[in-house]
Amino acid sequence: MKQQTLCAVSPFDFTLSRYVVLDNGLRALLISDYSGPSASGDEDSDGEDEGEEEEEEEEDDESGGDSEDGSEEDDDDDYGVDEEDDNEGKKKKGNAEKQSAAALCVGVGSFSDPSDLPGLAHFLEHMVFMGSEKYPSENGFDAFLKKHGGSDNASTDCERTIFQFDVQRKSFKEALDRWAQFFICPLMIRDAIDREVEAVDSEYQLAKPSDSHRKEMLFGSLAKPGHPMGKFCWGNAQTLKQEPKQKKINVYKRLRAFWKKYYSAHYMTLAVQSKGQENLFHLLYIKSQSIRLTEIDLPKADFSDMLDPFDTPAFNKLYRVVPVGKVHALNITWALPPQEKYYRVKPLHYISWLIGHEGTGSILSVLRKKCWALALFGGNSETGFDQNTTYSIFSISITLTDEGFQNFYQVTHLVFQYLKMLQTLGPQKRIYEEIQKIEANEFHYQEQIDPIEYVEDICENMQLFPKDDFLTGDQLMFEFNPEVISAALSLLTPEKANLMLLSPEHEGQCPLREKWFGTQYSIEDIEQEWKERWTGNLELSGDLHLPAENKFIATDFTLKPSDCPDTEFPVRIADSDRGCLWYKKDNKFKIPKAYIRFHVISPVIQQSAKNVVMFDLLVNILGHNLAGPAYEAEVAQLEYKLVAGEHGLVIKVKGFNHKLPLLFHVIIDHLADFAASPDVFSMFAEQLKKTYFNILIKPEKLGKDVRLLILEHSRWSMVEKYQALTAGLNINELMEFSQSFRAELYAEGLVQGNFSSAESKLFLQYVTEKLQFSKLPAEVPVMFRVVELPLKQHICKVKSLNKGDANSEVTVYYQVRLHLCCCCFLSDAHGGTVL
């Protein structure tokens, strides 16, 4: 057994890491956490109250087997209309300081699926956890975690499979033993196969309406025949049950053989985080040393010789696609040689930083001026789909307006002009060092990460990087290498790009269907006129240029002294008839960051459905107006969010406190001087129609809207808002609304973090002086009143508006005080209901 201590990489990293290689070949990183209470190292006596159980269960958005789950943008493709999230900033299960966690990465994934059993790797990920010889109960581990405030998950990627769990520290020893048995002697009994096939099939059915997953499957189908990228990684009842039965394939036997071949200790990396180095070391050694080594020490599955999978006639075409959501989007994609070996330079990160820039001279700023685009994402998500040993994806995804959709070739032309400019100018050391500094600042002062998330990242890093870079390899930019960056840039040419254009207007024009997700698409050659313009001497655009120096990068990280007594909770330090301010100094984490939140309350929003729509438009256009001026703040790790709350505008700003007031002032200035052109108004009105529509076709969102409509007084439904919007609104009405909105307000703020109380008061002062509003004539409630349900059970059945979605949603609502129950059923397109 070999071991080595890895030092902490930040003054705010209260962990000590020990790297060990066990005799069976398993590589492990033991992360001993010395932050928080009782770092004595005694797992069973760490000062926690034995009766204290975590009551919140993890909300599992993805159901465990997210094969190749990773998209560069939100799956909804909704622009704006952020809803207030009461749980923002909360840990998944409350106090992460009291959790221990472990994650194991196996160096095998869906690329290794046999051709006659698509989805076998994903299926095995499920079956491994169906009991062990020592703990045979199928659901015993989940029940144990639930009882002791824990959670678990797993995911299958192209070349890796990851398992992770967390639990209260006092229960970690037993939890680790139960968990380790799944890799030592899993039962994988025959009787469980049919049940778990249904679980895998359910995940597949849930993924089918996702446009991001549909795009991935369609893109994978363009790979060369025989390349693993073309495999159906999800698996379903057809591939794992029906077809094997017809072909007389023994799935159970093949599953055991797959496990025996690939779930070997020398393919595994393990990360464990808890209190106490010595106890942790002995605990890990006892539990993990028993994981088997394959009888024949075979090398790990290797696909690195299968390069250029998309060097085919099917690539460099125009694919027109019918999306599920009501959205226009253009995806420009290149398949490059694997870039992972250049992790110290991160060439794709440098390029994507410039491509995705939103300031003056950027692609998106020009497109926004033309009212052709709403958003742009560029780069590589670093999931197995985007980056593996056979290729690296570089993709640019642009959310288009109706006019942008009509001019998508001109949009593509502008992208190619920008890339030509980058190739001509070459890599810029000034820009690289600016990005490097931003990333280093964020890493150096990063807030504590949930242990389960941290070990998940680290165990995968251990498969990718040398041991000295386990903790930093995926985050820091180590060295400027213009040759490596130029080599990647030189490959991003028009003749090597593939275009995918998504639009509901393609309905009826796309005769082809992708095999597994049923995506409708068509293929055509890129128009010759544009090919000639791009492959010739492509002229540069005078509207495009590199970004200027970023004035939002923090340089002062001094911790401010307290100028008032410490308090456990925020206290009100300013109060008037126009607003109030709450304040709390950070004396716990002691990092140079702060959080500011203002709720600007207005009585006019809820007066009508039309006003609610006007408010949504105002907030969306305000965000649009801020996109350029505030973008540099975002890339400097200053975050801001505008939320169209039910009774007012919520402004959230957080990050390094040094430049935070500058960003806050920019936001308030744009609110005070709000303006919109007719073209911008029309663009956002059309986009808001699509957003409302996309909300209505999602069962979970429609169900929530109906439930709140039943329960809350004076709430306007999404249908009523959609009707008000489609009835016709104009720019003059919006400007009149913006004036009435700002006329009478109440501003309630919170400042928390590395600011003094005197500095904090200046934020409220700036809001009241800049916006120049009058006090409210009467108090405005910030929450809706809830209906008192009659004394019986109620069932509301709603038919889904998306005929192509077979999923159903059930919501159960309890008015606990009155012991009432209200169920809302959302059925599939056939009118059936499920419970």
Side-chain angles (χ1 to χ4, degrees), residues 229-277:
M229 197 59 241
K231 292 181 177 181
F232 176 49
C233 57
W234 290 84
N236 61 11
Q238 178 186 336
T239 66
L240 296 170
K241 183 178 180 180
Q242 297 159 10
E243 290 182 355
K245 189 174 182 180
Q246 293 168 3
K247 299 175 182 177
K248 297 183 179 179
I249 295 173
N250 188 327
V251 176
Y252 176 76
K253 186 176 180 181
R254 297 285 292 278
L255 192 73
R256 300 286 311 191
F258 193 94
W259 173 80
K260 186 175 181 181
K261 181 177 181 180
Y262 292 116
Y263 275 51
S264 172
H266 70 302
Y267 296 154
M268 297 177 177
T269 49
L270 173 69
V272 181
Q273 179 171 334
S274 191
K275 293 280 187 187
Q277 185 77 206

Side-chain angles (χ1 to χ4, degrees), residues 722-790:
Y722 187 79
Q723 289 170 340
L725 182 57
T726 53
L729 303 173
N730 60 57
I731 182 65
N732 294 329
E733 291 176 298
L734 176 64
M735 296 312 297
E736 288 174 7
F737 173 82
S738 72
Q739 291 172 4
S740 64
F741 168 76
R742 288 174 291 170
E744 297 175 341
L745 299 169
Y746 185 83
E748 183 169 24
L750 166 69
V751 178
Q752 188 166 329
N754 192 37
F755 279 118
S756 67
S757 64
E759 291 171 322
S760 299
K761 291 176 183 177
L762 297 176
F763 291 104
L764 178 60
Q765 180 181 329
Y766 195 83
V767 170
T768 55
E769 290 180 355
K770 189 70 180 180
L771 295 183
Q772 291 292 308
F773 53 86
S774 300
K775 67 177 183 178
L776 295 178
E779 186 177 347
V780 175
V782 294
M783 296 178 67
F784 287 113
R785 291 179 59 210
V786 177
V787 173
E788 184 176 323
L789 295 173

